[in-house]
């Protein structure tokens, strides 16, 4: 499990990797919230391309970040969902709370 | 019908065991040669039930989580996940999508996920005694025998 943070032009991207469950969600949450609360970005992108497993704890994680970003009027975007976790994401209806996008290139944020 | 294989597990309700529990069940059911999608559904459902034991049943304490799993010749899998924790007062309400008593970081989707990822979900619970979650899923049999049979037909 890992989180790599990229800050670029007032936008924060968290590239997540490994498995998201109740156990791993805590560290992911703390890492993201730490940075987001300092920077108060207008957009937080959660990049799921390297996620191998996710249960409803991951949905809770996304919902919680949406709530946090609302405090300063920012938005959350979830990107690069692997087919494996598309099922749980669509069941959750989380797309009502944030935008879901495909094909945000990791190196685009890296440049 | 007699199961062709079965196993049981008991482990403490520490969150580090969530990944162990779903991986152990996945490794066991792999004998039935499930597809990647079927395996992923089973892992997710097990993770939900086990996490509920850890987060809700044994909130603020450590208790034992029990899993038993049976495999049948026709591809049916039964998984039972049990705790001796606080129990659920109103099971019907608890199973409603988005219902949660934990607030904040929980979506209230665990039971909804188990229900949609498995064929059958049954929950029985008694306050102060514990909760039993039983799930069934039948996976398509693609055994060597049927593959051979198919080849003979051709
Ligand atoms: N094993 C259990 N022991 C006691 N209470 C439980 C148990 N499993 C579930 N519950 C109760 O049922 C509610 C709904 O469970 P469900 O898994 O659907 O959602 P959640 O755990 O609250 O959130 P999520 O699973 O999305 O993280 C829980 O909030 C809890 O009150
Ligand atoms: Mg749950």
């Amino acid at each position: 499990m890992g989180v790599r943070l990229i800050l670029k032009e007032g936008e924060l991207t968290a590239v997540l990797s490994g498995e998201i469950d109740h156990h791993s969600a805590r560290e992911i949450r703390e890492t993201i919230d730490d940075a987001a609360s300092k920077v108060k970005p207008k957009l937080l992108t959660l990049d799921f391309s390297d996620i191998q497993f996710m249960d409803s704890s991951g949905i809770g994680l996304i919902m919680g970040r949406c709530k946090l970003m609302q405090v300063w009027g920012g938005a959350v975007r979830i990107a690069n969902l692997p087919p494996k976790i598309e099922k749980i994401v669509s069941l959750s209806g989380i797309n009502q709370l944030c935008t879901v996008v495909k094909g945000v290139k990791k190196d685009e944020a890296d440049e | 019908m007699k199961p062709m294989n079965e196993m049981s597990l008991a482990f403490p309700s520490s969150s580090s065991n969530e990944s162990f529990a779903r991986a152990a069940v996945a490794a066991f059911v792999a004998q039935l040669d499930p597809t990647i999608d079927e395996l992923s559904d089973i892992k997710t459902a097990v993770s939900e039930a086990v996490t509920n034991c850890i987060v809700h049943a044994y909130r603020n304490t450590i208790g034992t989580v029990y899993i038993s799993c049976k495999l049948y010749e026709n591809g049916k899998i039964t998984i039972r996940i049990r705790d001796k924790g606080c129990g659920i007062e109103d099971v019907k309400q608890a199973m409603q999508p988005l219902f949660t008593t934990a607030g904040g970081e929980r979506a209230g989707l665990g039971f909804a996920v188990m229900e949609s990822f498995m064929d059958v979900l049954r929950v029985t619970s008694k306050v102060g005694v514990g909760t039993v979650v039983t799930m069934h899923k039948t996976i398509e049999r693609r055994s060597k025998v049927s593959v051979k049979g198919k080849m003979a037909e051709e």
Side-chain angles (χ1 to χ4, degrees):
Chain A
M1 192 278 303
V3 191
R4 196 161 53 89
L5 295 173
I6 302 155
L7 182 64
K8 199 188 159 196
E9 291 159 15
E11 296 183 2
L12 185 64
T13 300
V15 182
L16 311 175
S17 58
E19 307 201 326
I20 305 180
D21 60 13
H22 156 254
H23 181 72
S24 67
R26 182 188 171 154
E27 198 181 318
I28 300 174
R29 179 180 72 229
E30 288 172 355
T31 308
I32 294 174
D33 289 6
D34 236 40
S37 310
K38 275 183 210 129
V39 179
K40 298 192 170 43
K42 55 184 189 301
L43 183 68
L44 169 66
T45 301
L46 303 174
D47 185 333
F48 285 87
S49 42
D50 292 332
I51 290 297
Q52 269 83 48
F53 173 86
M54 185 175 105
D55 64 18
S56 66
S57 304
I59 303 297
L61 181 80
I62 301 170
M63 285 170 60
R65 305 305 55 72
C66 290
K67 245 182 254 165
L68 177 72
M69 290 292 290
Q70 272 165 17
V71 174
W72 54 85
V76 174
R77 183 169 78 156
I78 56 185
N80 301 330
L81 290 175
K84 254 189 190 172
I85 65 169
E86 255 171 23
K87 190 170 172 181
I88 192 163
V89 169
S90 72
L91 177 133
S92 74
I94 194 86
N95 57 329
Q96 314 237 307
L97 271 182
C98 57
T99 40
V100 181
V101 292
K102 270 193 189 130
V104 175
K105 280 187 233 98
K106 262 183 270 174
D107 17 306
E108 181 190 308
D110 267 340
E111 287 166 13
Chain B
M1 208 187 358
K2 248 190 79 161
M4 61 183 239
N5 200 358
E6 56 190 301
M7 67 92 164
S8 53
L9 288 172
F11 52 89
S13 61
S14 43
S15 63
S16 57
N17 281 330
E18 290 159 6
S19 59
F20 159 72
R22 62 177 179 264
V25 172
F28 185 68
V29 304
Q31 304 172 22
L32 288 177
D33 196 21
T35 62
I36 305 232
D37 285 350
E38 287 166 337
L39 206 54
S40 163
D41 287 354
I42 292 166
K43 274 174 83 170
T44 310
V46 168
S47 196
E48 296 297 349
V50 168
T51 301
N52 280 351
C53 301
I54 292 166
V55 173
H56 305 297
Y58 299 122
R59 183 159 35 111
N60 302 325
T61 62
I62 294 287
T64 306
V65 180
Y66 304 86
I67 301 183
S68 67
C69 182
K70 293 186 169 118
L71 310 181
Y72 295 87
E73 211 68 63
N74 64 355
K76 185 177 166 184
I77 300 166
T78 69
I79 303 168
R80 203 172 66 138
I81 295 169
R82 192 164 56 90
D83 65 70
K84 295 181 179 171
C86 65
I88 303 170
E89 220 170 85
D90 183 344
V91 172
K92 216 173 148 192
Q93 180 190 46
M95 290 175 78
Q96 296 291 322
L98 304 181
F99 177 86
T100 180
T101 52
E105 291 291 316
R106 309 238 66 87
L109 285 172
F111 282 131
V113 167
M114 290 181 242
E115 197 150 33
S116 86
F117 285 29
M118 302 293 279
D119 298 338
V120 175
L121 169 67
R122 245 191 346 252
V123 182
T124 58
S125 189
K126 205 166 172 196
V127 172
V129 178
T131 302
V132 185
V133 171
T134 310
M135 302 183 281
H136 300 179
K137 193 179 185 73
T138 300
I139 63 162
E140 199 76 34
R141 288 305 335 245
R142 296 168 300 134
S143 66
K144 289 183 193 87
V145 183
S146 64
V147 170
K148 244 193 228 158
K150 210 174 169 203
M151 277 163 69
E153 264 169 42
E154 283 166 1

